[in-house]
Amino acid sequence: MVMNPPMRKMIFLAVMLVAAAVSGCSKRDGFQEYTGVKTVSFIADDFIVNDGLTRTVITNNDQSFQWAANDTVGIYPNKGSQLFFEMTSGAGTNSAVFDGGGWAFRSGSSYYSYYPFIADYHLDRKHIPVSFTGQRQNGPSDFGHFGKYDYMAADKATVQDNAISLNYHHLGSILRFNAKLAPGTYRQLTVTAPSAGFVLDGHYNLEEQTPVITGDAKSRELSVVLDDFTIEQESQVYIYLMCAPVDFSGCSLVVSILDNDKKQYDCVKNIPASYPFKAGNLYPFGCSTWTEVPQSVGIVIDDWGDGGHISGGAE
């Protein structure tokens, strides 16, 4: 999934599903051969920009998500295993075509859908896995890495009037750092909390009325590796980090950025009371003032060349 800068309007997807008739196909669970259900709408909520963390003026909040080539959603009937629907045309637009391989929806069945698709025929719809590790941003202000971590679940849907509408809700939050940086090459940004609240790996139950991410492994830290991230002159750039909803109300978060010389610079952000990071919200952080941290008290970097684990850091 690709986004066009800067940010506010999220996905609106009006999608025509082309499920051509396939002779010889038999009925399977909640799907059957194409029999007249032609219109399938894929509609996702807007991300809400919640700017209580920064005084930085947000001058343009009109940001839309676009489908990328090979984007795929998984769809479960109320009885049976999932099938996948892959985008076959419309990359770079907010309208796309998904092909279900000849299968269509059947009246009388209800459906659950999620994104991004996981290629496991036996995947338990009550335990869809998520992971927020391995995030990588390619260049200043780019957010092409979002699709992999923008976990979405659709409300249960049924066929009505030969059409079905799948309404997706975002399960994660976006942390956006408006960082003023000196010229140089930067390799990684890490956010450190006072307690292990950031979900590294978790899951959600697609059948719940309101699916939420449950953390199976948590950490004080969450990171994004910065690839091809060179600043030629002092500039303000956006750095994005996806996370599961978490409540650090009243706490201080340390935002650390590492340059190519393995120097660490910190920016401390104080979170207001009663200010949890909620699903479907974007939280902008203004980081204009950085403090260089001596290596003796800074973070420890393992496997630097591979974007390895970061631990420690000032509190």
Side-chain angles (χ1 to χ4, degrees), residues 153-176:
D155 297 327
K156 183 172 68 173
T158 57
V159 176
Q160 296 189 16
D161 298 326
N162 292 327
I164 190 168
S165 181
L166 295 168
N167 297 292
Y168 293 86
H169 306 290
H170 304 282
L171 303 182
S173 308
I174 299 175
L175 308 184
R176 185 182 72 185

Side-chain angles (χ1 to χ4, degrees), residues 41-286:
S41 297
F42 292 73
I43 305 169
D45 292 338
D46 287 349
F47 264 111
I48 300 170
V49 176
N50 199 324
D51 59 0
L53 289 170
T54 176
R55 294 182 180 178
T56 301
V57 176
I58 302 171
T59 58
N60 189 341
N61 290 325
D62 184 17
Q63 179 164 330
S64 62
F65 274 38
Q66 299 176 354
W67 288 110
N70 301 318
D71 266 351
T72 305
V73 297
I75 301 179
Y76 286 90
N78 58 310
K79 295 181 180 180
S81 302
Q82 70 168 336
L83 290 178
F84 68 90
F85 288 74
E86 182 177 357
M87 196 191 74
T88 55
S89 66
T93 72
N94 66 352
S95 178
V97 174
F98 284 78
D99 187 348
W103 298 99
F105 300 89
R106 186 167 65 185
S107 297
S109 293
S110 54
Y111 297 89
Y112 304 88
S113 184
Y114 71 99
Y115 173 90
F117 169 72
I118 298 173
D120 180 356
Y121 177 77
H122 299 289
L123 182 66
D124 184 355
R125 73 187 78 192
K126 296 181 179 181
H127 199 281
I128 307 293
V130 303
S131 176
F132 293 94
T133 62
Q135 296 187 56
R136 307 183 78 98
Q137 178 171 323
N138 187 21
S141 301
D142 180 78
F143 36 72
H145 60 294
F146 267 17
K148 182 178 179 181
Y149 302 95
D150 185 15
Y151 301 105
M152 296 191 293
D155 297 327
K156 183 172 68 173
T158 57
V159 176
Q160 296 189 16
D161 298 326
N162 292 327
I164 190 168
S165 181
L166 295 168
N167 297 292
Y168 293 86
H169 306 290
H170 304 282
L171 303 182
S173 308
I174 299 175
L175 308 184
R176 185 182 72 185
F177 303 92
N178 184 8
K180 185 176 182 181
L181 298 175
T185 298
Y186 297 89
R187 301 294 299 273
Q188 190 151 329
L189 181 143
T190 297
V191 182
T192 303
S195 60
F198 286 118
V199 172
L200 300 182
D201 298 291
H203 68 277
Y204 62 92
N205 181 352
L206 190 57
E207 287 191 352
E208 288 183 343
Q209 184 173 356
T210 304
V212 295
I213 293 174
T214 298
D216 299 320
K218 296 184 178 182
S219 174
R220 294 176 57 219
E221 300 161 345
L222 197 62
S223 299
V224 55
V225 173
L226 306 175
D227 295 323
D228 298 324
F229 206 98
T230 299
I231 309 295
E232 299 293 343
Q233 59 185 11
E234 186 176 74
S235 306
Q236 284 194 313
V237 298
Y238 286 143
I239 301 175
Y240 294 89
L241 192 59
M242 295 288 294
C243 70
V246 61
D247 191 355
F248 290 125
S249 296
C251 298
S252 294
L253 301 182
V254 179
V255 183
S256 302
I257 195 163
L258 308 172
D259 68 12
N260 212 36
D261 296 321
K262 301 186 180 181
K263 292 182 179 179
Q264 174 185 338
Y265 303 89
D266 284 357
C267 172
V268 178
K269 303 303 297 184
N270 297 315
I271 309 302
S274 302
Y275 198 80
F277 297 159
K278 299 179 181 180
N281 279 242
L282 177 146
Y283 298 90
F285 292 76

